[in-house]
Amino acid sequence: MTRALTFLAVTLLGLAFVRAEVPRPAPDFVWEGVGGKAESLRSLRGQPVVLVIADHGRSRALRKQIVRLEELYRFYSARRVVFVAALRSEGRPLKSDIPFVLAQNGAALADTLKIRRGFGLAVIGPDGNVDLLTDEVVPAGRV
């Protein structure tokens, strides 16, 4: 009995030091900032980033996700969340009440994140890790 308890204690202690999730560093990307100056994800260290990826600005899934994000936009803006859109093809700007910045070379960014379907969403935490990566539209509360 004592051996079993000792084994259990050692096992639980070992598991306490094992990380449940391996951090996934977000790929760095750039967009055109104020005055035409190139900005990068590194400049946003310490701020959460919501990245939406779509084939184009008229994508049905993208529009649906934006509507859901607009529900909690005030909540997000109070936490200094930055919204970035990466479009695989150039075209019309996004229509939204949320101020999105447009990442340059959205197709390459989508490939780097392995978003193969037409839509993707990534939440990048203040530490620069990808905390959520999905190819489905999610409720605003999950973001």
Side-chain angles (χ1 to χ4, degrees):
M1 179 74 171
T2 312
R3 287 179 108 178
L5 287 175
T6 304
F7 175 75
L8 182 62
V10 169
T11 303
L12 290 175
L13 184 61
L15 289 176
F17 292 104
V18 174
R19 288 186 165 203
E21 198 172 336
V22 177
R24 296 182 290 179
D28 199 24
F29 54 88
V30 296
W31 65 90
E32 188 175 317
V34 178
K37 181 181 172 193
E39 299 281 339
S40 74
L41 180 62
R42 280 180 262 180
S43 69
L44 297 177
R45 195 66 170 220
Q47 289 181 262
V49 175
V50 174
L51 171 66
V52 291
I53 300 166
D55 290 336
H56 49 80
R58 298 177 318 278
S59 162
R60 184 178 184 156
L62 175 63
R63 289 192 324 247
K64 190 173 181 180
Q65 186 66 66
I66 288 173
V67 167
R68 291 186 178 182
L69 291 173
E70 286 174 342
E71 295 171 6
L72 292 177
Y73 175 64
R74 286 187 182 170
F75 173 81
Y76 297 135
S77 63
R79 283 154 183 76
R80 300 180 2 154
V81 176
V82 176
F83 292 87
V84 179
L87 304 177
R88 286 187 177 92
S89 62
E90 301 297 321
R92 295 186 207 158
L94 296 176
K95 290 185 180 180
S96 172
D97 292 337
I98 299 173
F100 280 91
V101 294
L102 290 174
Q104 295 176 356
N105 202 351
L109 182 55
D111 289 343
T112 302
L113 289 169
K114 296 179 176 52
I115 300 293
R116 304 286 184 234
R117 293 176 46 192
F119 172 79
L121 178 118
V123 176
I124 303 166
D127 57 359
N129 286 316
V130 177
D131 294 336
L132 172 68
L133 181 63
T134 181
D135 60 359
E136 297 178 4
V137 175
V138 297
R142 186 168 173 213
V143 173

